[in-house]
Amino acid sequence: MDAIHIRGGNALFGETKIQGSKNAALPVMAAALLIEDVCMIENCPRISDVHHMQELLESIGCKVRHTNSTMTIDARNISQDTVAGENVKGMRSSITLLGAMLGRVGEATMDYPGGCVIGERPIDIHLNALRRMGVAIYEKEGSFTARAKNLEGAVISFPTSSVGATENVILAAVMAKGVTVLQNAAKEPEIVALCEFLREAGAVIEGIGGPVLIIQGGHKLHGICYRIPADRIVAGTYLMSVLGAGGHIFLEGAPIAQMRSMLRIAEDIGAEITISREGINVIAQEHKRAVPYVKTEVYPGFPTDMQSPLMSALTTAHGVSVLEETIFEDRFHIVEQLKKMGAHIEQKGRRQAVIRGVESLLGCEVTAQELRGGAALVIAGAMALGETIVRNRHFIERGYEDICRDYRNLGVNIYTA
Ligand code: EPU
């Protein structure tokens, strides 16, 4: 139970449609809380993180329906100012409800979202930025109350780029009095999606997609219908799979413009990439080249969420590859698992891994410890000779609607058990 079985070792052929983006859907769902009206969110992925966010919104009084891929959120009547429960502790993105609650009711009591296996993941940048907007924070053991009598626009310069902190301040700023200027704002496509959603709902935001956002607060927001963009990380997962296993696949609806850094690396490894309006066509050779050095970076650099999937693909590349993780301090948990499959990887400290390509991986039982690492183990399973069993499937289900369905579309023998 809670496992994925893969009989790997064959090249991938076929096409698969890319689901809606988890990291765009979650803050957009939080943003719907700001709107005293009904919003429709199309292409909303059916994944457990979205389901948990739905439960949190419902616990605050929203009426939420998720039918097929459309979610309807009716936030006309909010009943609570406490965001609590296991879903908060277990899901980092529950923190975006802080900005949304402050924007909507001026107060929120929340459990701390907690650290996770990829790193400490503090929320100091979120809290310090909100303090500048007039928010007082009262900390208790394991939880805190944030309160703003008058939420006010401010000039906020982030010390480092943070996706979640940028989202939280945007959510508070659209409801604040006056203008908020965000400097060193995160530029990830998921921030763009959040800003576009809010702008269509009536918010005034300038500089979308850049490092400086200017938000005029206080405009009345109204219900809209918004379509979540395709998930660049899910598309990248299947891209890395075909690089690893070889073959010819088509990624239907992949968000090409958001994937430039991944596509450059795919070409360096030796894949032939053709893009069209419909998606990305990838022809990958069985014999692939190592990449001398790749480091993870904020957008538009190579994403940290793709670091583990790339590592799996490189385990059988010809030569030596070096991967450096610059965003999270503890994101190499799959190294030991890949070594069990025969990979040759030397970890240097917590930030660097040196991968010497081997002839092939061998299937065995491995354990997922977090979402993207789990997906990377499925990639390794598709590449490996024999059977691989990936334990802890629930981590993967946080972000992938049906990873087995998608791999079966690409001809992989894979099932859950
Ligand atoms: N950081 C702090 N203090 C803060 C906030 C962040 O020190 O108050 C540090 C973090 O510890 C990290 C760095 O700043 O070292 C960047 O973290 P960021 O805040 O940008 O990450 P996040 O908002 O927690 C989102 C995604 C992650 C993705 C990162 C980086 C969501 C729900 N999560 O996390 O996605 O890796 O941005 O792009 O959007 C995933 O989908 O598997 C995932 C982990």
Side-chain angles (χ1 to χ4, degrees):
M1 282 295 138
D2 197 25
I4 295 177
H5 294 240
I6 312 130
R7 288 184 216 284
N10 298 315
L12 272 49
F13 292 96
E15 53 184 78
T16 198
K17 192 165 185 273
I18 305 305
Q19 68 180 63
S21 160
K22 166 176 88 77
N23 290 346
L26 293 168
V28 164
M29 287 172 73
L33 189 55
L34 296 177
I35 303 172
E36 287 186 56
D37 205 345
V38 181
C39 287
M40 262 170 73
I41 303 171
E42 292 177 345
N43 203 31
C44 188
R46 298 191 73 87
I47 51 178
S48 63
D49 268 15
V50 161
H51 185 67
H52 291 147
M53 183 62 109
Q54 172 175 349
E55 287 179 348
L56 285 171
L57 288 175
E58 285 169 341
S59 74
I60 302 162
C62 296
K63 292 196 177 67
V64 187
R65 273 211 339 256
H66 197 180
T67 326
N68 300 323
S69 60
T70 301
M71 177 172 281
T72 312
I73 303 179
D74 177 349
R76 281 176 292 190
N77 296 304
I78 299 301
S79 58
Q80 280 204 35
D81 56 14
T82 298
V83 186
E86 283 312 304
N87 286 348
V88 176
K89 293 201 188 81
M91 191 176 66
R92 170 80 186 172
S93 54
S94 58
I95 190 67
T96 47
L97 288 174
L98 172 60
M101 289 294 283
L102 284 167
R104 179 69 190 268
V105 295
E107 181 169 333
T109 296
M110 294 189 74
D111 289 337
Y112 276 102
C116 77
V117 71
I118 65 176
E120 210 34 60
R121 303 185 86 180
I123 55 166
D124 54 321
I125 301 175
H126 302 237
L127 299 185
N128 288 339
L130 291 169
R131 281 188 181 104
R132 291 189 59 84
M133 301 179 74
V135 177
I137 315 275
Y138 307 94
E139 307 196 48
K140 283 176 253 155
E141 206 177 311
S143 70
F144 63 93
T145 296
R147 196 171 290 139
K149 269 211 188 93
N150 298 304
L151 205 54
E152 283 181 355
V155 177
I156 295 165
S157 186
F158 288 117
T160 47
S161 173
S162 161
V163 172
T166 302
E167 290 168 350
N168 248 331
V169 173
I170 291 169
L171 290 167
V174 292
M175 305 307 273
K177 191 162 157 255
V179 176
T180 298
V181 180
L182 284 185
Q183 290 161 347
N184 196 23
K187 303 190 292 288
E188 269 63 10
E190 295 75 29
I191 304 280
V192 173
L194 173 64
C195 289
E196 280 173 350
F197 171 83
L198 287 165
R199 198 154 71 169
E200 282 176 36
V204 178
I205 306 177
E206 284 169 50
I208 297 176
V212 179
L213 291 171
I214 302 168
I215 302 167
Q216 284 177 31
H219 291 264
K220 174 108 180 114
L221 305 184
H222 52 82
I224 53 159
C225 178
Y226 179 78
R227 191 172 174 79
I228 298 292
D231 195 312
R232 62 192 173 113
I233 305 300
V234 170
T237 301
Y238 301 126
L239 172 66
M240 295 303 153
S241 305
V242 73
L243 294 181
H248 179 180
I249 67 170
F250 184 69
L251 301 171
E252 187 189 338
I256 297 152
Q258 302 176 8
M259 293 177 66
R260 301 276 177 213
S261 64
M262 305 179 208
L263 295 175
R264 261 196 305 276
I265 286 176
E267 285 177 334
D268 289 347
I269 289 174
E272 203 182 297
I273 307 278
T274 325
I275 54 177
S276 64
R277 274 216 336 235
E278 287 72 34
I280 303 175
N281 191 60
V282 191
I283 302 176
Q285 310 304 329
E286 211 177 300
H287 297 285
K288 50 194 172 289
R289 293 189 286 268
V291 283
Y293 177 73
V294 180
K295 70 171 172 180
T296 60
E297 289 176 289
V298 296
Y299 189 81
F302 186 77
T304 171
D305 292 343
M306 288 311 304
Q307 181 259 107
S308 298
L310 175 62
M311 183 183 286
S312 289
L314 291 173
T315 54
T316 58
H318 188 74
V320 178
S321 307
V322 176
L323 287 187
E324 187 162 335
E325 172 58 61
T326 73
I327 309 292
F328 291 107
E329 68 277 14
D330 206 3
R331 217 173 188 182
F332 282 139
H333 287 273
I334 64 158
V335 168
E336 287 311 311
Q337 306 297 311
L338 291 176
K339 279 175 158 176
K340 277 173 76 177
M341 300 176 77
H344 193 306
I345 306 171
E346 191 189 343
Q347 197 179 323
K348 297 196 163 169
R350 290 169 99 187
R351 299 277 193 177
Q352 211 182 71
V354 179
I355 304 144
R356 281 168 219 283
V358 294
E359 194 63 36
S360 54
L361 296 179
L362 294 175
C364 70
E365 194 172 320
V366 288
T367 304
Q369 288 161 76
E370 43 89 21
L371 166 59
R372 306 302 174 190
L377 292 175
V378 178
I379 296 175
M383 294 163 60
L385 303 174
E387 186 177 37
T388 297
I389 301 173
V390 180
R391 299 261 168 232
N392 285 349
R393 184 179 85 218
H394 63 275
F395 282 122
I396 297 168
E397 290 170 345
R398 289 186 50 195
Y400 296 79
E401 274 190 345
D402 189 345
I403 202 166
C404 292
R405 170 198 68 196
D406 292 350
Y407 272 111
R408 273 196 290 271
N409 287 339
L410 302 177
V412 177
N413 184 344
I414 181 170
Y415 58 96
T416 59

